[in-house]
Structure formats: C-alpha cells, structure tokens
Amino acid sequence: MSHTISMVVSRESNLKFFEKTIRNYHDSVKSINGIIFIDLSLGDIVNDVDKLLKENGLGHWNIVTSEQVLEEWYKVSDCKDGVLTNYKGRLLLLMDWYLMKIMRVDKVLVVEEDVLILD
C-alpha cells in the first residue's frame, strides 16, 4: 500500500463528525486508500463505521480494531500487560507501528475524524 489516509474513530460521539467529514470528501480523495482505526475499549462502533464508509463511496477503506493491533503486537513483544493493556489511548501508541510494520504503508497522512480533506 502506498498513499494512505489513516484516522482514529474511537467513540460513538465521534461518528457524527466522521460522517459529515467523509460525506464532503472530494472524489479525488475518495480514490485514495484509507485505514480507520477503532479502539474497542471505548465502544464497538465497527459496524457503524463500516456502514458509513460504504454509504459514502469509501467501502474499499480498511477498518482495523485495537484488538487486531494488540494481537500483532503481542506476536513480537513480551509486553502483555501494563500501559498497553490498561491505557485507553493504547491504539495511538501502536498505530504508527502497525501501519509501517504490518500494513507496509510507505506514505501516510494521519488525521482525526473531523478533518476535511479537499482536492
């Protein structure tokens, strides 16, 4: 994967911003690959995000959950407790690692769910 947009949508309350944002993406932006990270410790909104992506022409974007990220991390690390298990923002700590090492992304723009990207 080369050019990629990545963002974290972590809470149900973020969905309204996420929906407004992706609805207004320019068509040229919608052709880029995207990865949405969802921290399941803050609520399971995977189905909601998947539905919004499909409704807005972004069905080709990937959804990655915090559990998937942690599963890969545990394969290469002895650290199975502590901050990564208890810290609610753990996904932010490992997201870049996951993008580079697991998904092999070489160029990425990381944005929040309420950032509008124009042409």
Side-chain angles (χ1 to χ4, degrees):
M1 212 179 285
S2 55
H3 297 80
T4 304
I5 297 170
S6 172
M7 68 180 73
V8 174
V9 182
S10 56
R11 301 174 193 268
E12 193 172 328
S13 60
N14 296 131
L15 288 175
K16 65 181 177 181
F17 300 114
F18 178 66
E19 180 179 17
K20 288 178 184 177
T21 302
I22 62 173
R23 188 177 340 126
N24 290 299
Y25 277 170
H26 188 272
D27 287 339
S28 64
V29 175
K30 290 183 178 187
S31 66
I32 296 173
N33 292 318
I35 302 167
I36 307 298
F37 286 90
I38 299 174
D39 191 338
L40 295 178
S41 69
L42 301 172
D44 186 347
I45 57 172
V46 173
N47 291 333
D48 296 321
V49 170
D50 186 50
K51 180 181 175 192
L52 290 173
L53 289 172
K54 289 175 180 169
E55 290 174 352
N56 289 283
L58 298 168
H60 62 285
W61 282 25
N62 294 306
I63 295 174
V64 176
T65 67
S66 54
E67 299 308 315
Q68 290 171 282
V69 173
L70 285 172
E71 182 179 316
E72 291 297 328
W73 175 252
Y74 292 155
K75 289 178 185 177
V76 299
S77 173
D78 292 332
C79 179
K80 293 187 176 29
D81 58 5
V83 71
L84 293 178
T85 304
N86 301 313
Y87 176 55
K88 295 293 186 194
R90 65 186 176 210
L91 184 60
L92 297 175
L93 297 173
L94 295 175
M95 184 175 66
D96 293 337
W97 169 83
Y98 190 89
L99 284 167
M100 302 303 161
K101 295 294 185 179
I102 304 302
M103 299 199 81
R104 305 277 187 221
V105 172
D106 59 354
K107 294 181 183 178
V108 64
L109 172 64
V110 179
V111 296
E112 293 291 324
E113 75 283 340
D114 60 350
V115 174
L116 182 60
I117 304 170
L118 303 173
D119 184 23

